[in-house]
Amino acid sequence: FLIADDHPIIRQVLKNLINKLINFKATIDETGTVEGLTEMIRQKNYDMVILDINLEDGVSLTELPLIKMKQPNAKILFFSVCPEDIYAQRLIQMGAHGFVNKKAAETEIIDAITKVLSGRRYLSPDFLHALLLNQEHGKKLESNPFLLLSSREFEILSLILHGKTNKEISNQ
């Protein structure tokens, strides 16, 4: 497992949940930075990568193409405080296997990890219910303007929303 989150306490809680979930001690690497994420993805193979969107030095979703290329069999679960209605569907379209909000109960986080590890997708029951209601009432899923953006446009917009300057964005 690889956990990328900018808060050490969150990484520790996730490690404890994973070890509780898996009867044997899992090998769990961790980082708080995009730079560390990139380095670890290049050096080692992972069964699962759990990512926060915001890391100490940037936005992890910019590394999603690298993760998909270098770790084609790794399951990717985003674990973030960012709004699920804005990010979840887009991240799934970009190749992630799931999204769970940090406000979720422990049982939901365990459920998300279990489902993604078993090869299934995970979105919260509330979000899935909202999607179904939208379809039932004839609303297009594209009512979320973020879904109209290309993956690259979405990455750049996320960097802008996180206060990055034009120079920082171009460097990244």
Side-chain angles (χ1 to χ4, degrees), residues 38-141:
T38 303
E39 184 179 318
M40 290 177 173
I41 289 297
R42 288 190 170 137
Q43 290 178 1
K44 198 170 172 185
N45 289 322
Y46 296 98
D47 294 317
M48 181 174 225
V49 180
I50 301 175
L51 303 164
D52 189 357
I53 292 171
N54 302 310
L55 298 178
E56 291 173 22
D57 59 348
V59 180
S60 69
L61 63 90
T62 61
E63 300 306 300
L64 198 50
L66 174 71
I67 297 169
K68 296 298 292 175
M69 181 180 72
K70 294 282 186 186
Q71 308 268 340
N73 296 321
K75 307 295 187 252
I76 301 167
L77 176 65
F78 277 89
F79 183 59
S80 180
V81 73
C82 291
E84 187 175 24
D85 61 335
I86 292 175
Y87 284 90
Q89 192 172 352
R90 167 55 71 172
L91 292 171
I92 297 289
Q93 289 172 343
M94 292 172 67
H97 298 90
F99 182 98
V100 64
N101 195 283
K102 287 184 178 178
K103 294 178 185 176
E106 180 180 329
T107 54
E108 185 178 343
I109 297 165
I110 290 171
D111 187 39
I113 292 169
T114 303
K115 283 184 178 171
V116 170
L117 266 179
S118 70
R120 298 182 314 196
R121 304 276 181 191
Y122 182 84
L123 294 169
S124 75
D126 290 341
F127 185 71
L128 288 173
H129 181 71
L131 285 177
L132 290 173
L133 281 178
N134 281 345
Q135 286 182 330
E136 188 176 289
H137 291 97
K139 294 179 184 175
K140 292 186 177 181
L141 297 177

